[in-house]
Amino acid sequence: MTLNLGVSYPWVLLLLPLVALPWLQMPLDSRDHSCVAALPADSLSRALQIGLAVAGSAAILATLLGIADLHRVEHSIPRVGTGAHLVLLLDRSKSMDNTFAGRRADGDEESKAEAARRLLSEFMQKREHDLFGVAAFSTTPLYVLPLTDRRQATQAAIDTLATPGLAYTNVGDGLSLALSYYRDLPMTGSRAIVLVSDGAATIDFRTQEKLRQYFPELGVRLYWVFLRTSGDRGPFDEPENEQEDTPEAMPERHLHKFFQTLGVPYSAYEAENPQALEQAILQIARLENEPLVIQEKVPRVNLAHLCYALALGALLLLLSAKLMEVRAWQA
Amino acid sequence: MNRLRGWRLVCLLLAVVLLAVAITDPHYELEQPVYSFMAVVDITRSMNTRDYRLGDLDISRLETVRRTLKEMSRTLPCGSRLGVSLFTERRAAVLLMPVEVCDNYAPLAETIDHIDWRMAWAADSNIMQGLYNTLELMRDLSVREMLNADLLFITDGHEAPPPNPNYMPDLKDFQNQGEWQPGGLVIGVGGDELSRIPKHNQEGEMIGYYGADDVTQVTSFGLPEDPESIEGYHPRNAPWGNRDTSGNEHLSSLKESYLLELAGQSGLDYIRLETPAQLATDIQEQVTARRVERPVRIHFIPAMLALAAVLALYVAVWFRHIAALLISYTIIKRYLHE
């Protein structure tokens, strides 16, 4: 096991030769004696002398390490836990600014985007071992944030849902972008894209082929949280007649059908209000708990005060020796 | 030697007390300058113009902006925040709310690296409208707290198609509104000379440059200010007359005077992007820093004094010897002199 020690001010260590000082000079006062050679060489004095030198060296060494700010550096140790690599794919189209009832959001009722922002934030905060990435799409796909363990950054990305949406819904390119987050990433733990949208669109044939290839190849699952506006159609709606059953007329239903052909585990959740959205997110949380080798962060630990405590102990030894010192031969 | 004895005891006691203080890991609340920025990056076509140089390479305005933002994340004092937005069409889209730059450097740098002209959700660009809508967004109560940043509006000033000045918002709307004041910079990007604008296909490969016929050269939106004065004006068939429609809109340079005007109207400062390093430095001088108190560990101060006291314990005797030597030397010297 490595200790992962580090110092913040290495130049202080240039003073380390000072630890030799106690071996050159006793801190006690000398007494004149007519003939030192006449004094018997007793082992107790010898031991005391060495002991005091060791204590002095230890005090200087420990104080120097303290000044250099000795610490255990922040590091991570691999640990098997449960978690996932999740990419949140957010719909930034204009309609997300409306409420579930399809009205403009006002004080009483939150918009779909606001509900998604609130619940995704809670979801993220609860899942401490997951890595989160964020991608968004409107007319074009928007790379937002790579898969990261920096919660603050992920929160900042989710918070953009509080700002007005952009234009249209281009799901296909959004999915391609979200998939690209998993390239060059070691295969570990479960991988899933959580698509949060309030609408669907047709995906062109070329993109469909690409998605059918990459989803299984990269082993990414798909969750589709559909924020249904009342009166609108959803992925589970059945056509009333055959003529209506086209991707253009019922894009949600056809997108859902396409997702089922991806060859990876896929589930869709229809949320018609914030509570249903919460349920959908809870269900995803339950599913995405595969064993995963996670890098558990061991935070930095300051050791300076321990060094000082050690130095203090050594000094107290010296001090007691000092206080026991013979004042004068005559006494 | 008796006098030393008392002195040494004092040294030891002093060291003990100082170390005891150091063990408590004392802190000092130091006032530190930090910054908070929301960078709004123009990602319209003209930003692909390659009129910056990096060593022997011509690099695009957008690439220079990316380098600048990364340089800023590296050089801003820890505790500072930086967010990223994109500008195209007539508004800004927030990509990432401001995040602390040190702790989040790795993901933030990735976000910046991926800023691309292909993210544009519409092709045209109207900068005055864009700035107006951006300021409106920053003033919006629902996001003001989250943003809490100075604006960096980064653009070359090139608009496409050329806007009709009759349909422009008034940027002065934001001044003297009391509770919220726009703060920050308009940052001008690009060279003084007109340069060709690269043309790309959807895969992002460059396929040449824009020609004079590829772009709208003069405005034809809405109605002209005084139609009757335009040559060949006809209310239905030729509302903009038969004026010359040639121009240099397919070439691009930094429209500095226009940006200075916009900055002045909206109460922002203007600064020009010369090199990433220059801008990252200048920005800290141009923008008033926000002050935050940050606890700074100062355990090393009592510890250093304690160390000095401990060392004195050992070397004091030597000082006496050296002092004695020096004194005898001067005495002998004086004696010899006489």
Side-chain angles (χ1 to χ4, degrees):
Chain A
M1 195 194 118
T2 47
L3 281 170
N4 292 300
L5 295 180
V7 290
S8 309
Y9 312 105
W11 54 266
V12 176
L13 303 182
L14 290 176
L15 298 174
L16 277 180
L18 289 175
V19 299
L21 265 184
W23 300 90
L24 306 175
Q25 182 73 48
M26 277 289 275
L28 303 183
D29 297 308
S30 52
R31 292 282 166 260
D32 296 330
H33 195 270
S34 52
C35 180
V36 180
L39 292 173
D42 67 314
S43 50
L44 186 67
S45 308
R46 188 85 203 127
L48 190 68
Q49 195 181 2
I50 291 175
L52 289 183
V54 169
S57 287
I60 295 174
L61 176 70
T63 311
L64 278 173
L65 287 175
I67 295 171
D69 197 17
L70 186 75
H71 58 266
R72 203 173 65 195
V73 293
E74 181 193 276
H75 61 286
S76 44
I77 42 170
R79 203 172 67 77
V80 176
T82 55
H85 293 162
L86 299 170
V87 173
L88 307 176
L89 180 57
L90 311 177
D91 185 350
R92 293 287 305 273
S93 65
K94 270 212 178 78
S95 50
M96 287 287 283
D97 296 344
N98 296 333
T99 64
F100 283 93
R103 287 191 291 269
R104 262 201 84 69
D106 52 29
D108 308 329
E109 222 176 328
E110 59 183 356
S111 67
K112 284 175 278 183
E114 186 53 35
R117 182 179 84 86
R118 186 168 54 81
L119 293 165
L120 285 173
S121 306
E122 280 171 25
F123 174 60
M124 176 195 70
Q125 298 298 352
K126 264 186 232 145
R127 304 193 47 96
E128 49 180 318
H129 293 311
D130 292 351
L131 291 189
F132 281 94
V134 181
F137 64 93
S138 173
T139 311
T140 49
L142 301 170
Y143 183 103
V144 178
L145 198 77
L147 281 158
T148 176
D149 57 356
R150 302 286 143 166
R151 287 290 184 267
Q152 210 194 2
T154 311
Q155 185 65 59
I158 294 176
D159 281 345
T160 57
L161 282 170
T163 60
L166 300 174
Y168 308 106
T169 310
N170 181 351
V171 183
D173 287 347
L175 283 168
S176 302
L177 173 69
L179 276 176
S180 74
Y181 282 40
Y182 293 103
R183 289 206 187 111
D184 316 315
L185 207 75
M187 261 303 214
T188 163
S190 53
R191 299 170 154 196
I193 291 174
V194 180
L195 164 64
V196 182
S197 83
D198 70 336
T202 52
I203 298 181
D204 66 77
F205 183 70
R206 220 174 85 179
T207 314
Q208 285 196 8
E209 286 298 291
K210 235 168 54 180
L211 294 176
R212 276 207 194 92
Q213 182 194 343
Y214 287 129
F215 262 101
E217 212 170 281
L218 293 164
V220 182
R221 293 184 240 212
L222 179 65
Y223 295 97
W224 183 16
V225 180
F226 182 76
L227 309 176
R228 182 173 177 159
T229 316
S230 66
D232 278 10
R233 294 212 156 127
F236 306 122
D237 284 9
E238 294 293 331
E240 278 158 25
N241 52 57
E242 232 164 82
Q243 284 96 331
E244 210 184 41
D245 196 14
T246 64
E248 286 75 23
M250 303 189 77
E252 288 83 11
R253 172 180 155 81
H254 282 266
L255 190 64
H256 178 58
K257 276 171 122 181
F258 163 67
F259 285 160
Q260 286 170 327
T261 67
L262 283 175
V264 291
Y266 156 72
S267 346
Y269 304 91
E270 204 179 66
E272 281 180 308
N273 51 51
Q275 292 74 34
L277 174 59
E278 193 168 0
Q279 285 307 313
I281 284 175
L282 277 176
Q283 194 155 3
I284 296 173
R286 266 196 299 277
L287 287 170
E288 289 307 317
N289 269 329
E290 260 184 33
L292 161 78
V293 179
I294 50 172
Q295 296 291 324
E296 184 141 82
K297 276 243 153 52
V298 184
R300 172 189 159 123
V301 182
N302 288 322
L303 298 172
H305 60 284
L306 278 182
C307 294
Y308 296 142
L310 198 73
L312 187 66
L315 281 192
L316 288 175
L317 279 178
L318 284 183
L319 188 66
S320 51
K322 187 84 194 159
L323 292 173
M324 285 190 292
E325 201 174 35
V326 179
R327 304 227 159 182
W329 292 116
Q330 290 85 355
Chain B
M1 287 284 165
N2 259 332
R3 249 181 304 142
L4 257 182
R5 182 186 177 274
W7 198 70
R8 277 179 158 158
L9 189 62
V10 170
C11 275
L12 254 179
L13 286 172
L14 202 64
V16 166
V17 172
L18 286 166
L19 277 178
V21 173
I23 288 174
T24 64
D25 200 1
H27 286 73
Y28 174 72
E29 294 289 323
L30 189 71
E31 211 174 60
Q32 268 196 333
V34 293
Y35 301 84
S36 184
F37 292 123
M38 173 48 88
V40 178
V41 183
D42 185 346
I43 52 166
T44 52
R45 306 282 161 95
S46 58
M47 290 295 283
N48 289 326
T49 310
R50 295 164 183 256
D51 50 7
Y52 277 95
R53 286 195 73 78
L54 181 78
D56 292 336
L57 287 170
D58 284 328
I59 60 169
S60 73
R61 294 173 188 170
L62 202 53
E63 173 63 22
T64 312
V65 171
R66 282 191 289 259
R67 283 169 189 274
T68 306
L69 291 179
K70 278 194 288 179
E71 181 72 19
M72 275 173 53
S73 338
R74 264 195 302 270
T75 53
L76 284 174
C78 286
S80 300
R81 297 155 76 236
L82 179 65
V84 182
S85 301
L86 307 173
F87 160 73
T88 186
E89 199 198 8
R90 286 177 298 281
R91 50 175 294 204
V94 182
L95 207 53
L96 189 65
M97 290 285 181
V99 288
E100 200 278 330
V101 290
C102 291
D103 198 35
N104 301 299
Y105 178 75
L108 180 61
E110 283 281 315
T111 302
I112 293 169
D113 268 332
H114 281 83
I115 299 175
D116 189 85
W117 66 273
R118 277 182 291 173
M119 288 172 153
W121 54 94
D124 53 346
S125 83
N126 183 325
I127 290 161
M128 197 185 250
Q129 276 282 2
L131 184 56
Y132 189 93
N133 290 343
T134 305
L135 290 173
E136 212 168 45
L137 174 68
M138 293 184 83
R139 189 178 59 181
D140 190 343
L141 271 175
S142 59
V143 290
R144 202 193 283 176
E145 280 296 301
M146 262 183 245
L147 278 167
N148 186 23
D150 290 315
L151 173 65
L152 302 178
F153 199 84
I154 309 172
T155 176
D156 54 10
H158 190 117
E159 306 191 300
N164 181 341
N166 294 347
Y167 299 89
M168 283 298 171
D170 190 2
L171 285 167
K172 293 200 183 82
D173 287 357
F174 296 100
Q175 293 202 19
N176 308 317
Q177 291 231 330
E179 40 151 8
W180 186 82
Q181 286 289 320
L185 298 169
V186 172
I187 297 173
V189 191
D192 292 319
E193 308 288 319
L194 284 170
S195 309
R196 293 185 296 176
I197 306 170
K199 202 173 179 176
H200 297 84
N201 62 15
Q202 260 311 312
E203 271 67 52
E205 296 149 356
M206 196 176 129
I207 51 166
Y209 293 95
Y210 280 96
D213 297 334
D214 289 334
V215 299
T216 316
Q217 295 287 2
V218 290
T219 187
S220 55
F221 172 76
L223 289 172
E225 185 134 28
D226 181 12
E228 304 298 337
S229 70
I230 294 178
E231 202 189 316
Y233 170 77
H234 183 278
R236 189 193 65 203
N237 296 336
W240 287 89
N242 58 1
R243 74 215 152 114
D244 182 15
T245 53
S246 63
N248 274 332
E249 288 298 323
H250 59 297
L251 301 174
S252 179
S253 64
L254 167 59
K255 310 270 186 296
E256 198 154 40
S257 54
Y258 179 49
L259 293 180
L260 273 165
E261 191 190 316
L262 293 189
Q265 285 177 18
S266 47
L268 303 174
D269 284 320
Y270 174 82
I271 190 171
R272 185 173 177 166
L273 168 58
E274 311 270 358
T275 66
Q278 158 263 334
L279 194 87
T281 321
D282 287 0
I283 227 161
Q284 295 193 30
E285 287 161 17
Q286 284 264 342
V287 178
T288 322
R290 295 143 190 254
R291 309 229 154 241
V292 289
E293 303 238 304
R294 256 165 80 103
V296 180
R297 301 169 67 207
I298 48 164
H299 61 88
F300 60 91
I301 296 174
M304 275 172 161
L305 293 173
L307 182 68
V310 173
L311 293 179
L313 213 59
Y314 295 101
V315 295
V317 181
W318 298 358
F319 281 127
R320 280 177 70 97
H321 292 332
I322 293 166
L325 272 174
L326 279 174
I327 292 165
S328 12
Y329 174 74
T330 22
I331 292 171
I332 292 166
K333 209 169 128 189
R334 187 176 295 170
Y335 177 77
L336 287 176
H337 214 73
E338 282 166 9

